[in-house]
Amino acid sequence: MDSKRLDHKLDCKACGTILMDIPNNAEEHTAIHCSQCGAYLGEWGELQDDFHKQARDAQAFDLNHGNILKK
């Protein structure tokens, strides 16, 4: 796997994409689902924490076919 690809809690284990259905009023404990297949991904707070942990050294990101890549 490419070490520049953000995944861990962010990618959908059912379909492999990072496409989230995030409500406008999402809070820490809001359930987040994959917008591609509907699978449960986790709570909004834990997904944000995971993103920050993985992205901390990146200057920019590229979204390509449901994948987030560090640049």
Side-chain angles (χ1 to χ4, degrees), residues 4-6 18 51 58-71:
K4 292 185 175 191
R5 181 177 185 272
L6 274 60
I18 301 176
F51 176 82
Q59 297 297 315
F61 300 96
D62 184 27
L63 180 59
N64 187 350
H65 301 290
N67 292 290
I68 301 173
L69 305 172
K70 290 192 263 185
K71 290 189 141 213

Side-chain angles (χ1 to χ4, degrees), residues 6-36:
L6 274 60
D7 53 11
H8 197 244
K9 291 184 184 219
L10 300 174
D11 68 334
C12 177
K13 304 310 182 230
C15 70
T17 64
I18 301 176
L19 298 169
M20 300 175 202
D21 185 13
I22 305 168
N24 288 335
N25 60 346
E27 298 180 2
E28 288 290 310
H29 297 290
T30 300
I32 303 299
H33 295 86
C34 176
S35 62
Q36 189 74 21

